[in-house]
Amino acid sequence: MASNDCCPPPTGNTVSCASNQLPGLDQWVQEHTNVSTKAPASPGLRFAFYGCVSTEDHQDPATSRGWQLLRAQALTSGYGHITTEYFVIGRSRSTPWPRRPEAAALLVALADPDRCFDAIVIGSSERAFHGNQFTVLAPLFDHYKIPVWIPELGGTADPQTAGHEELMVLLGILAKREVARARMRALTSMTIQARDQGRYLGGRPPYGYRLADAGPHPNRGLARRGVRAHHLIPDPTTGPVITWIFTQRLAGHSMARIARALNDSDIPCPSAADPARNPHRNKTAWNDTVVRAILANPRYTGRQVWNRQRTDHILLDPANTTRDVRRWNTPDN
């Protein structure tokens, strides 16, 4: 019979088998876990971060700044750190740098001998430089000895280096093309939505109409979030007033007489009929100006008009380079 005492229980203190089998492991662990006593690395270059987001209504500025800053930090990692930021919100990339408030401040800082940065790092070149903007600004950067770091180049953009200037011109063209394509797609899409789908293109419904539900939004992502499409329908209360105004005008009555008749009948004027939407307007009575505006509105004739105004970036005052001008488009535009 086999004996049960072939493996006697251990006596005294026990030790790890691994320590007995690998006597050099403790030394290896110590060598690889020692805290470095080397002197800290040099802080390197001081960078000014520049980023841009143009359509704050359709993008989250915080998120846009975040990914551009993260991209800039990845590019400059190991070469220095970002000490200051210039982030443009609500300005189109087609706007020249002197007319973007933060970009203009960055250009002013270039001339300061005590500036807190040694180089500029761009979060997105296509948002920073539109068309030939980099070519225009490159001599200024070179004059003040400020290198510009571009993510697409993986480092400094040097116009003297073969291919760098050509690549920056190409990136500017791509940025310009992106703006032109977005504008073209928006205008043509609005044409189809208004003409073929009867969609409401936004803004306040004109007097005599109200918004009605037109089903789920055609964009599936927006529809999943509960966004609905809308279209205009005649308002049962104010709609007949519009019909009466046009009937009286066709009968030859003056606009002043039409306004006087509406006031005599105690019919609320448009701002009084919807005071919550018109807190800035006079709610007292009808006048010929209001009647004239209604008669001139093409919406009442079954036509939808949009893109009436455009924004031109024109320097009117050298002391105010951020001013834009709103101008009326012609029917051909």
Side-chain angles (χ1 to χ4, degrees), residues 135-187:
T135 305
V136 173
L137 294 172
L140 185 64
F141 298 138
D142 183 65
H143 174 76
Y144 290 109
K145 308 301 181 185
I146 297 293
V148 181
W149 289 52
I150 306 294
E152 287 77 5
L153 295 180
T156 307
D158 183 7
Q160 305 301 325
T161 302
H164 277 206
E165 184 176 3
E166 290 79 2
L167 180 56
M168 292 306 301
V169 171
L170 176 60
L171 292 173
I173 293 174
L174 293 176
K176 187 175 182 179
R177 176 179 177 271
E178 183 179 349
V179 173
R181 182 175 61 176
R183 181 182 296 112
M184 179 271 296
R185 291 179 61 180
L187 291 177

Side-chain angles (χ1 to χ4, degrees), residues 85-129:
E85 298 183 18
Y86 296 88
F87 191 72
V88 179
I89 298 178
R91 290 283 174 172
S92 171
R93 69 185 71 177
S94 62
T95 307
W97 273 46
R99 299 179 193 170
R100 309 181 199 177
E102 290 76 10
L106 176 56
L107 295 179
V108 172
L110 292 178
D112 184 1
D114 298 325
R115 56 180 175 266
C116 61
F117 59 89
D118 308 308
I120 298 172
V121 58
I122 303 297
S124 172
S125 65
E126 292 188 356
R127 295 192 176 192
F129 302 111

Side-chain angles (χ1 to χ4, degrees), residues 255-266:
M255 288 177 281
R257 182 174 180 180
I258 295 174
R260 185 166 56 252
L262 291 169
N263 290 326
D264 292 342
S265 300
D266 294 327

Side-chain angles (χ1 to χ4, degrees), residues 98 315-323:
L315 182 61
L316 297 179
D317 182 3
N320 183 9
T321 60
T322 64
R323 182 177 178 182

